[in-house]
Amino acid sequence: MRKKDENQVIRITPPKDANEDNEMLTQENFDKICESILSKFNVAPLAERISEKSAETSEDFLELAKSANSSRSALKYAKKALELDPENLDASVIVAEASASSPDKLLDKYKKLIGEAEKKLESEGYFDENCIGEFWLILETRPYMRLLMNYVETLVECCKMRCAAEVCEKMLRLCNSDNLGARYRIMHIYAYLEEEQAALKILEKYPVDDTQMLLPMSIMYYKLGDLKESVKYLKKLRTLNKDTIEFFENIAENDFEQLLYSMNPFGYRPDTIEELMAEGSENTFLFGAAVTYFDWALSKLKTMK
């Protein structure tokens, strides 16, 4: 019944002379690498291998829906995928997104899908104790986890931060390895809500210093008025990310949008200004709620030894 993906970690070793600042391997980057490798063996890209005429299975039509150029086409292919497999949750999500008239309507659709998915997964034993914590290792639970992440993003869009935090907390209970990065989203939400103890628990569970953990911690303590703690995390950020001062200078000079346009659309290099810019673009709710923090932090950075 349960199929564990034992080979879930994919490692690509760079050549010996590669720059150590290797670009983060996003799913999109990985897909491009795969297509490049396939092309060397004269294997056509996925989009060329599957067409409306050649598509046969629910998964075929799901792939067509994902690569569709319009919401109308995506909706058509996703509905066809559901005709062939009514339990194709990823297809149901695409139908919901393509047919919702507003973010609030989409939340209603997501909530219904989550309820249905949880009922099904529970009946199949996936909410048993031996599965909790491994929801990304189990292939059948991945669509549910993707749905939860989409739900979080829409809750944030609707400014329903406490609800978004609760869904992230659920995701982290279900998947200890946090393959979808819910810990980064929830850390920014906790900083926005000024929930210190909850944020500290996340740091305890994922103790490795990370750009997208350190910055929200510094912002949170600034908001709480604990400037000593804010500076502590700011120092850690400067030590970890060599572009920290440059990032804060660009914000001070109102070059944030210009930098966004110059970013690599296929991902970012960890612990560089690219990651800080990606973090800012994905968490505007926190940055907008702490505008004065950045001038203050820049002044502290310039005096640090």
Side-chain angles (χ1 to χ4, degrees):
M1 178 178 65
R2 303 185 187 94
K3 303 173 188 174
K4 286 194 176 182
D5 182 8
E6 302 295 347
N7 299 312
Q8 63 158 343
V9 178
I10 301 170
R11 300 182 186 277
I12 296 180
T13 304
K16 292 182 179 180
D17 60 345
N19 188 297
E20 64 181 24
D21 289 331
N22 289 294
E23 185 175 295
M24 173 171 281
L25 182 63
T26 64
Q27 183 61 51
E28 187 172 0
N29 284 337
F30 179 70
D31 290 342
K32 288 180 177 293
I33 292 171
C34 289
E35 296 292 3
S36 176
I37 293 172
L38 290 173
S39 67
K40 294 179 181 179
F41 294 93
N42 295 318
V43 179
L46 179 62
E48 296 178 15
R49 296 199 300 274
I50 300 177
S51 66
E52 188 171 353
K53 290 184 178 180
S54 65
E56 297 178 351
T57 68
S58 178
E59 290 301 313
D60 287 345
F61 282 100
L62 175 62
E63 291 301 326
L64 289 174
K66 289 178 179 179
S67 60
N69 295 323
S70 68
S71 58
R72 176 180 293 184
S73 295
L75 182 60
K76 180 181 73 171
Y77 293 133
K79 285 183 174 179
K80 182 61 179 179
L82 285 175
E83 287 179 16
L84 296 171
D85 179 8
E87 295 183 351
N88 189 325
L89 185 55
D90 287 323
S92 294
V93 169
I94 292 176
V95 170
E97 293 171 345
S99 60
S101 58
S102 70
D104 282 304
K105 294 291 185 183
L106 181 56
L107 285 179
D108 291 338
K109 291 177 180 290
Y110 280 156
K111 193 172 183 179
K112 181 180 179 182
L113 288 175
I114 289 169
E116 293 172 350
E118 288 178 345
K119 184 177 180 179
K120 179 177 182 291
L121 291 174
E122 187 170 4
S123 70
E124 295 174 347
Y126 291 108
F127 281 99
D128 291 349
E129 185 177 347
N130 65 322
C131 294
I132 299 299
E134 298 187 351
F135 264 44
W136 197 254
L137 294 176
I138 303 170
L139 294 179
E140 288 85 350
T141 58
R142 287 189 180 185
Y144 169 70
M145 295 298 290
R146 287 192 287 266
L147 170 57
L148 289 182
M149 182 54 82
N150 288 357
Y151 189 41
V152 167
E153 299 306 324
T154 307
L155 285 168
V156 169
E157 182 181 354
C158 294
C159 299
K160 299 182 179 182
M161 299 302 187
R162 171 43 39 205
C163 294
E166 290 172 0
V167 179
C168 285
E169 289 163 357
K170 176 194 288 188
M171 293 182 68
L172 294 176
R173 286 195 302 272
L174 294 174
C175 181
N176 292 324
S177 56
D178 186 31
N179 300 73
L180 293 179
R183 65 187 180 277
Y184 301 125
R185 181 57 101 184
I186 201 172
M187 186 60 80
H188 290 81
I189 294 172
Y190 283 153
Y192 177 85
L193 297 173
E194 301 177 18
E195 296 184 359
E196 178 186 10
Q197 294 306 312
L200 290 173
K201 287 182 180 179
I202 295 296
L203 283 186
E204 183 179 355
K205 185 172 183 178
Y206 304 98
V208 178
D209 282 346
D210 191 295
T211 288
Q212 296 188 59
M213 303 288 261
L214 296 174
L215 180 54
M217 287 297 291
S218 181
I219 294 175
M220 181 188 69
Y221 278 114
Y222 172 83
K223 285 160 67 35
L224 288 169
D226 191 339
L227 302 185
K228 183 178 180 180
E229 282 296 295
S230 182
V231 168
K232 183 182 81 172
Y233 285 100
L234 189 60
K235 283 183 177 179
K236 287 185 176 182
L237 177 63
R238 187 193 65 167
T239 300
L240 178 69
N241 193 313
K242 62 184 177 63
D243 296 329
T244 297
I245 293 180
E246 181 184 354
F247 171 70
F248 279 85
E249 286 177 339
N250 276 282
I251 288 186
E253 295 169 3
N254 297 314
D255 287 341
F256 188 79
E257 291 188 6
Q258 183 177 345
L259 276 174
L260 282 178
Y261 284 118
S262 67
M263 284 179 59
N264 186 336
F266 302 124
Y268 58 79
R269 290 172 297 166
D271 300 325
T272 67
I273 195 170
E274 294 175 2
E275 182 172 8
L276 287 163
M277 293 304 300
E279 178 180 3
S281 66
E282 293 170 1
N283 298 282
T284 54
F285 62 90
L286 176 59
F287 280 39
V291 175
T292 58
Y293 163 81
F294 294 96
D295 286 336
W296 171 84
L298 180 57
S299 68
K300 295 297 180 183
L301 285 166
K302 288 182 176 180
T303 60
M304 286 181 185
K305 296 181 180 179

